[in-house]
């Protein structure tokens, strides 16, 4: 775990990381323990579009999805304390990343591809995994995305343990 000296100042907390890292589950529990609102950016995107993320990818493609994702995250980061879970690719967008780093506190939930693969095999809703080996895809994504995620001021290891262990680590980092 790495933390900055000025960990949490009341800015929105934005969880980033690869699919399966636990951003939504950990985010809900973190928000509950901190008595803050929780928002899942993917759910907000689906609500705004009136269709699932899989359908958006299929009908319009990834660039269209990423543009909508950028706009939704910009709307969610409104200066009020809350916990926001983002999609795995959100932080790769230069504008989104700059906004998160400037106006929120980014926390990278880092996990080994094997741990992530075990988690994502439980649901078939992830467009980037369709018809491919999850561990292979996640290893490739980690190679590309981890250097971006590493820009987050806080990094917490998401291990094969109950999500509350990850929440505990985040809370420790926020109060250092």
């Amino acid at each position: 775990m790495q933390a900055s000296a000025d960990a949490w100042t009341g800015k929105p907390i934005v969880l980033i990381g690869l699919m399966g890292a636990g951003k939504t589950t950990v985010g809900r529990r973190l928000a509950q323990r901190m008595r803050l609102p929780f928002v899942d950016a993917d759910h907000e995107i689906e609500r705004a579009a009136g269709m699932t993320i899989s359908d958006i990818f299929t009908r319009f493609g990834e660039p269209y999805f990423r543009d909508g994702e950028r706009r939704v995250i910009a709307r969610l980061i409104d200066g009020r304390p809350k916990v926001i879970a983002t999609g795995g690719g959100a932080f790769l967008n230069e504008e989104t990343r700059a906004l998160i780093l400037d106006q929120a506190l980014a926390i990278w939930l880092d996990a080994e591809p094997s741990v992530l693969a075990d988690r994502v095999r439980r649901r078939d809703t992830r467009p980037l995994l369709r018809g491919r080996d999850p561990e292979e895809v996640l290893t490739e994504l980690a190679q590309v995305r981890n250097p971006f995620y590493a820009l987050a001021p806080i990094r917490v290891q998401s291990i094969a343990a109950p999500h509350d262990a990850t929440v505990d680590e985040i809370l420790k980092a926020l109060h250092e």
Side-chain angles (χ1 to χ4, degrees):
M1 167 182 55
Q2 77 191 31
S4 68
D6 60 339
W8 194 54
T9 60
K11 291 179 174 183
I13 295 168
V14 179
L15 302 180
I16 63 170
L18 288 170
M19 65 180 88
K23 298 178 299 289
T24 298
T25 305
V26 168
R28 269 197 192 98
R29 293 177 187 192
L30 178 65
Q32 185 175 35
R33 298 227 335 238
M34 293 181 75
R35 294 181 172 83
L36 294 173
F38 171 76
V39 186
D40 184 302
D42 283 352
H43 291 153
E44 291 297 311
I45 292 162
E46 289 179 337
R47 199 170 65 145
M51 63 179 71
T52 67
I53 288 171
S54 290
D55 288 343
I56 297 168
F57 264 74
T58 301
R59 289 184 60 193
F60 303 108
E62 187 174 358
Y64 179 89
F65 169 77
R66 295 295 172 204
D67 185 55
E69 178 180 58
R70 177 188 53 75
R71 288 186 312 233
V72 166
I73 291 171
R75 177 174 50 81
L76 295 175
I77 297 177
D78 58 7
R80 291 184 290 207
K82 67 178 70 124
V83 177
I84 302 168
T86 62
F91 203 67
L92 278 64
N93 178 286
E94 192 174 338
E95 278 182 65
T96 302
R97 184 173 59 253
L99 176 71
I100 291 170
L101 291 173
D102 182 54
Q103 297 183 28
L105 175 63
I107 299 175
W108 174 21
L109 299 185
D110 187 14
E112 291 297 319
S114 59
V115 171
L116 298 171
D118 285 343
R119 291 177 182 167
V120 299
R121 280 189 180 102
R122 298 174 196 155
R123 282 189 283 150
D124 183 29
T125 59
R126 306 193 189 252
L128 297 177
L129 296 179
R130 291 264 159 74
R132 297 194 54 206
D133 174 55
E135 191 164 351
E136 181 183 316
V137 173
L138 289 158
T139 299
E140 291 169 8
L141 288 172
Q143 289 171 350
V144 172
R145 294 178 176 186
N146 285 0
F148 292 99
Y149 296 151
L151 297 171
I154 296 177
R155 175 182 177 189
V156 172
Q157 203 64 34
S158 178
I159 57 172
H163 286 301
D164 283 320
T166 304
V167 173
D168 291 341
E169 288 301 310
I170 293 170
L171 290 170
K172 271 200 292 192
L174 291 176
H175 295 97
E176 286 187 342

